[in-house]
Amino acid sequence: MPADTWWKDSVVYQIYPRSFSDSNGDGIGDLQGIISRLDYLSELGVDVVWLSPVYKSPNDDNGYDISDYHAIMDEFGTMADWKALLAGMHARNIKLVMDLVVNHTSDEHAWFQSARASKDSPYRDYYIWSTQPNNWASFFGGSAWEYDEPSGEYYLHLFSKKQPDLNWENPQLRKELYAMMRRWLDLGVDGFRMDVINMISKAPGFPDATPQGAGPYHFGGEHFVNGPRLEEFLLEMKAEVLSQYDVMTVGETPMITTEKAAALTDIETGSLSMVFQFEHMDIDEDPQTALPRRSIREWSLPELKEVMSRWQTALQDRGWNSVYLCNHDMPRSVSRFGNDSRFRVESAKMLATFVHLLGGTPYIYQGEEIGMTNVAFSGIQAYRDIETRTIYREFVEEQGRSPEEALRIIHAKSRDNARTPMQWSSKSNAGFTTGEPWIPVNPNYTHINVEAAAADPNSVLSYYKELIKLRRHYSVISRGDYELLMPDHEHLYCFLRSNKKAATESRGAGERMLVVLNFSAATPVFVFPEDIPLAGFELLVSNYPVDPAEDIEQLTMRPYEARAYLLVST
Ligand code: NOJ
């Protein structure tokens, strides 16, 4: 693998196809819908699109339950549409990264159908069966084991019972998965985002989880997250598939440590380009609650700085970071980390500055670039997500808590916050569909939409375009080292980036950049540290009008203000 790779200089845009753009009025986003928006993505300036699953699926978990890895979901279109999409992207110099869901399939996949039909099926061992289920909880509620009446055995499903886990111990299964990956790569895809890839290796014997709290089922992550054969399986995948193509890979790896992540993403000895870590996503979760999105906890800025800085520095010399604040499983970043009312525009831009000027590959989740916010549907009926509905049931039916309390958590945390339709215009249904959308639109589309943002030079969208362009000009943005300033400040997050490594390279040698971010509605004062040499500075970007010549020894930062400067030391 080359030491310098395109994905280190790329900006990635995630599309959740069901909610992006509907071309045929059935209320469900589709591939032709995406094709019709490619010019938009090209103008935004992104290099890579990560497409959430578009494979054939009964949609128990919106495509993360695949019934045929080689076919396109009926609602999304055909293989011909997919080929046209890929060609349209490549014609615009945009690469396509597909979602790879290989921890589990749908129970409607032919392998599982055959496995279930007979204990003698060659596919039986592609899944995990037991006569004695352990106490593991499924992420989507209840036991992680489902009884299969005809065979008298239980099968494992870490997610819904329609998502049986694959048995990676079976070499024939692994071969089939590698062949499937090669087929997509041969069609021209540029990489994979690998769904819960660090859960594919389970501890031998499936030991019980250590009970936490009441109830019969418990989170058993200690026995299947970063399991014993994970690295071995991924190195095999690299040897069999990935090493033969020039690809970008990003592993979704909940509960990963910096050490493990550095090993997995080591350019020589690792197997993946980068991983998604979740420590900053857990910052507002109660640590006593093992499963995600069931609690809300107050967090402080120094805590966020500690997490992000640890990841920035740990993967600086070995491995590579991904940087994101939102995806299809998370609440909207501006509602979670910023201020989605009075300072929506300012804070969305500040958060963009944060993501795009940290070290690593930045990810934009659809709608983040126009500052889309969380939604607060008034009843559970409007929610579509299997996890959200499960959480509501757990709260109200099992734990006897009030519907209001359940909805309070759901409004803050539900995955459907990120899944309301993309807001293209102020026309009905936000211009997403001419039909009835599969999930209601966020009513704020009348003023938060692409059409309005594209016409406004001060919009969040215009600011994203500026940030993406900056990356092309200053290598310190993608390559510089990271240093945190003022770790304990409650409101300001300030960091330096410096191109030490590039000192011998022609481009960007010795470049240094200062980033000052106000994560609050207060007006704290930034004082330039005395020990940093400073002979001059150049304003690179800011989300408020700024006099570029203003002295930076002391800066009174306005609510959610963000500034980045190039520093001159001699
Ligand atoms: C992680 C995906 O991002 C999420 O949407 C899905 O529900 C689970 N993995 C199961 O595939």
Side-chain angles (χ1 to χ4, degrees), residues 20 94 128 187 263 280 342 374 385 398 443 460 530:
F20 192 63
I94 298 175
I128 298 168
L187 286 169
H280 61 310
R342 177 154 173 220
N374 279 355
D385 172 27
E398 292 167 27
V460 179
E530 277 174 10

Side-chain angles (χ1 to χ4, degrees), residues 31-36 38 51 72 77-92 94 96 184 187:
L31 299 182
Q32 283 297 338
I34 303 175
I35 291 174
S36 73
L38 286 180
L51 192 57
I72 299 295
T78 62
M79 202 61 193
D81 295 327
W82 181 84
K83 286 184 178 163
L85 173 64
L86 180 69
M89 284 186 183
H90 283 173
R92 290 168 180 80
I94 298 175
L96 175 59
W184 284 103
L187 286 169

Side-chain angles (χ1 to χ4, degrees), residues 61 64 104 140 159 193 195-196 252 328-329 415 419:
D61 186 18
Y64 283 92
H104 45 266
F140 293 159
F159 295 90
R193 173 270 187 187
D195 192 66
V196 288
E252 190 204 21
H328 65 290
D329 293 330
R415 308 198 296 183
R419 299 177 181 186

Side-chain angles (χ1 to χ4, degrees), residues 442-503:
N442 189 320
N444 65 20
Y445 73 87
T446 49
H447 69 282
I448 304 175
N449 61 67
V450 168
E451 201 173 72
D456 174 4
N458 292 318
S459 66
V460 179
L461 179 64
S462 303
Y463 191 81
Y464 265 86
K465 291 182 187 171
E466 206 181 326
L467 278 172
I468 295 171
K469 280 203 192 96
L470 269 187
R471 175 170 295 264
R472 315 271 171 250
H473 293 288
Y474 299 99
S475 76
V476 69
I477 295 177
S478 45
R479 304 305 168 111
D481 279 356
Y482 168 94
E483 186 190 335
L484 178 68
L485 308 174
M486 307 152 62
D488 301 323
H489 200 291
E490 291 288 333
H491 300 307
L492 292 179
Y493 190 147
C494 311
F495 57 95
L496 269 183
R497 305 284 313 282
S498 24
N499 238 351
K500 292 189 198 114
K501 274 180 262 172

Side-chain angles (χ1 to χ4, degrees), residues 276-320:
F276 289 130
Q277 63 87 13
F278 286 82
E279 281 193 59
H280 61 310
M281 292 287 116
D282 293 339
I283 202 159
D284 58 356
E285 299 265 312
D286 177 352
Q288 304 303 320
T289 313
L291 296 177
R293 291 174 282 276
R294 285 148 170 94
S295 64
I296 305 176
R297 170 186 168 271
E298 288 295 318
W299 55 278
S300 75
L301 188 61
E303 289 176 82
L304 181 68
K305 290 193 250 191
E306 188 281 319
V307 169
M308 298 308 281
S309 303
R310 190 154 38 74
W311 278 89
Q312 286 287 300
T313 45
L315 271 64
Q316 194 148 278
D317 299 320
R318 183 183 183 213
W320 189 253

Side-chain angles (χ1 to χ4, degrees), residues 180-199:
M180 177 272 285
M181 291 171 71
R182 276 195 296 269
R183 183 168 177 270
W184 284 103
L185 290 166
D186 290 339
L187 286 169
V189 313
D190 303 288
F192 295 110
R193 173 270 187 187
M194 303 184 182
D195 192 66
V196 288
I197 199 68
N198 64 336
M199 300 190 189

Side-chain angles (χ1 to χ4, degrees), residues 237-385:
M237 181 194 282
K238 177 185 177 183
E240 296 286 321
V241 186
L242 303 173
S243 61
Q244 291 152 34
Y245 301 84
D246 179 18
V247 288
M248 170 190 139
T249 52
V250 51
E252 190 204 21
T253 52
M255 290 158 273
I256 191 107
T257 59
T258 50
E259 293 76 24
K260 261 258 164 357
L264 286 176
T265 63
D266 184 301
I267 197 95
E268 303 292 342
T269 56
S271 45
L272 302 174
S273 313
M274 61 193 109
V275 297
F276 289 130
Q277 63 87 13
F278 286 82
E279 281 193 59
H280 61 310
M281 292 287 116
D282 293 339
I283 202 159
D284 58 356
E285 299 265 312
D286 177 352
Q288 304 303 320
T289 313
L291 296 177
R293 291 174 282 276
R294 285 148 170 94
S295 64
I296 305 176
R297 170 186 168 271
E298 288 295 318
W299 55 278
S300 75
L301 188 61
E303 289 176 82
L304 181 68
K305 290 193 250 191
E306 188 281 319
V307 169
M308 298 308 281
S309 303
R310 190 154 38 74
W311 278 89
Q312 286 287 300
T313 45
L315 271 64
Q316 194 148 278
D317 299 320
R318 183 183 183 213
W320 189 253
N321 267 297
S322 69
V323 192
Y324 72 99
L325 290 179
C326 189
N327 63 34
H328 65 290
D329 293 330
M330 296 295 162
R332 289 282 175 182
S333 56
V334 71
S335 301
R336 191 179 194 184
F337 295 100
N339 174 314
D340 64 7
S341 49
R342 177 154 173 220
F343 297 111
R344 184 187 67 86
V345 169
E346 292 81 0
S347 64
K349 290 179 184 175
M350 184 279 290
L351 293 170
T353 319
F354 180 51
V355 168
H356 287 258
L357 299 186
L358 282 172
T361 301
Y363 285 71
I364 303 168
Y365 177 69
Q366 68 184 40
E368 202 175 12
E369 77 280 16
I370 55 167
M372 278 178 64
T373 69
N374 279 355
V375 73
F377 296 134
S378 57
I380 191 65
Q381 303 74 8
Y383 287 89
R384 303 284 178 260
D385 172 27

